[in-house]
């Protein structure tokens, strides 16, 4: 059985998988809701139980995403992929008492028949330029003063938000980021819902969500379309990579949106140096280690960039751009430092 077939079989039994590995949670409509991948009580992590995204999950608190193989890996604390496959096969051989829900194309989500990548493209097209908007102000509050320079970012004044527990929908202004493949085609979007009064993110359970095909793709900044990329940086969060881009505006950047997707990021052909902006938590370290291993196999030199505080946006806000620049000077290869951090 191939890995894709294994993942598909797990997805068809998504509720049974959740009841087995995430027993502290419960079902709400087409979702299984639980605290996190360690089976804590709470409402941060949700798993799709039906439809085309059955088996996909998101932890709104950490930004992690994945399929049920990723969920098994995280919940069991497994490192080697062969152990994950073995655990999944063992689970599938167990007798099941819970029946997986059937697909409901016209169910509560309402638009499941339309490919998520198409929905993402339509949503991004509805956005407006970032400059002088609430989204621009949100980024400025986080020390990012040139967010409007990036074509991958737009502002939506009334973006739908759906409460996953109650099913209620409302509208909030939102920062919309385009997720693209290596050719520049939009495959998804990332939404950050904002407080209408300008007080940071919207006061909702999970103000950040992604839509569409994310695996191997990313939100890209400063990425040339007609020239090879020999040096670039990749990390998880949008604000993290925008903070690095603020002091290194010429370096191509990619925000993969989660630790799992960072591990699967596919650097462009011809890349020689891949700087990895690692988050300091366990998931971030694991994602950067997996990406480093994949880069080495392709002949790319991986170089990990480490923040002084919790993340690079915190460095930018609390320590300032000059201190962040100095920190990066100590971590870049000399030729790259000369190219992307020239002496002032």
């Amino acid at each position: 059985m191939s890995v894709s077939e294994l993942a598909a079989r797990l997805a068809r039994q998504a509720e049974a998988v959740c009841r087995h590995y995430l027993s502290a949670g419960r079902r709400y409509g087409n979702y299984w809701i639980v605290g996190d991948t360690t089976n804590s009580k709470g409402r941060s992590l949700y798993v799709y139980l039906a439809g085309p995204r059955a088996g996909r999950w998101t932890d709104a608190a950490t930004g992690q995403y994945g399929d049920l193989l990723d969920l098994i890996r995280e919940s069991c604390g497994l490192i080697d992929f062969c152990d994950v496959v073995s655990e999944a096969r063992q689970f599938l051989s167990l007798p099941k008492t819970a029946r997986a829900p059937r697909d409901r194309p016209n169910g509560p989500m309402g638009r499941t028949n339309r490919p998520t990548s198409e929905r993402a493209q339509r949503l991004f097209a509805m956005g407006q330029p970032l400059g002088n908007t609430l989204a621009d102000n949100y980024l400025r509050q986080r020390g990012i003063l040139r967010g409007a320079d990036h074509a991958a970012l737009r502002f939506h004044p009334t973006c739908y938000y759906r409460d996953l527990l109650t099913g209620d929908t409302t509208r909030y202004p939102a920062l919309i980021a385009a997720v693209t493949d290596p050719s520049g085609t939009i495959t998804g979007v990332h939404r950050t819902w904002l407080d209408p009064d300008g007080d940071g993110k919207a006061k909702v359970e999970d103000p950040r969500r992604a839509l569409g095909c994310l695996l191997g793709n990313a939100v890209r900044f400063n990425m040339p379309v007609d020239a090879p990329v020999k040096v670039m940086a990749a990390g998880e969060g949008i604000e993290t990579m925008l903070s690095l881009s603020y002091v290194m505006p010429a370096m191509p950047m990619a925000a993969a949106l989660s630790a799992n997707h960072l591990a699967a990021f596919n650097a462009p052909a011809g890349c020689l140096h891949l700087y990895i902006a690692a988050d300091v938590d366990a998931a971030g370290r694991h994602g950067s280690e997996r990406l480093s291993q994949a880069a080495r196999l392709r002949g790319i030199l991986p170089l990990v960039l480490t923040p002084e505080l919790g993340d690079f946006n915190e460095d930018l806000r609390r320590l300032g751009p000059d201190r962040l620049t100095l920190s990066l000077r100590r971590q870049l290869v000399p030729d790259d430092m000369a190219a992307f951090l020239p002496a002032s």
Side-chain angles (χ1 to χ4, degrees), residues 7-32:
R9 284 191 59 186
L10 289 170
R12 288 195 292 269
Q13 301 182 35
E15 184 174 350
V17 174
C18 292
R19 291 187 181 278
H20 185 79
Y21 293 99
L22 302 176
S23 57
R26 59 174 295 186
R27 179 171 181 164
Y28 293 85
N30 275 348
Y31 303 92
W32 188 267

Side-chain angles (χ1 to χ4, degrees), residues 180-184 219-234 241 248-254 265-275 295 298-301 336 339-340:
T180 56
D181 64 16
S183 70
V219 180
R220 300 169 197 267
F221 307 114
N222 316 324
M223 197 73 70
V225 295
D226 55 356
V229 175
K230 294 185 177 181
V231 179
M232 68 168 296
M241 302 316 295
M248 295 189 294
M251 181 180 284
M253 305 270 179
F265 176 69
N266 191 17
C271 182
L272 301 178
H273 293 171
L274 177 60
Y275 289 95
R298 295 182 53 197
I300 301 171
L301 176 63
D336 298 337
F340 299 107

Side-chain angles (χ1 to χ4, degrees), residues 97-112:
T97 57
R99 184 179 64 179
R102 294 177 296 174
D103 287 357
R104 292 193 293 171
N106 297 312
M109 294 302 288
R111 292 172 290 178
T112 55

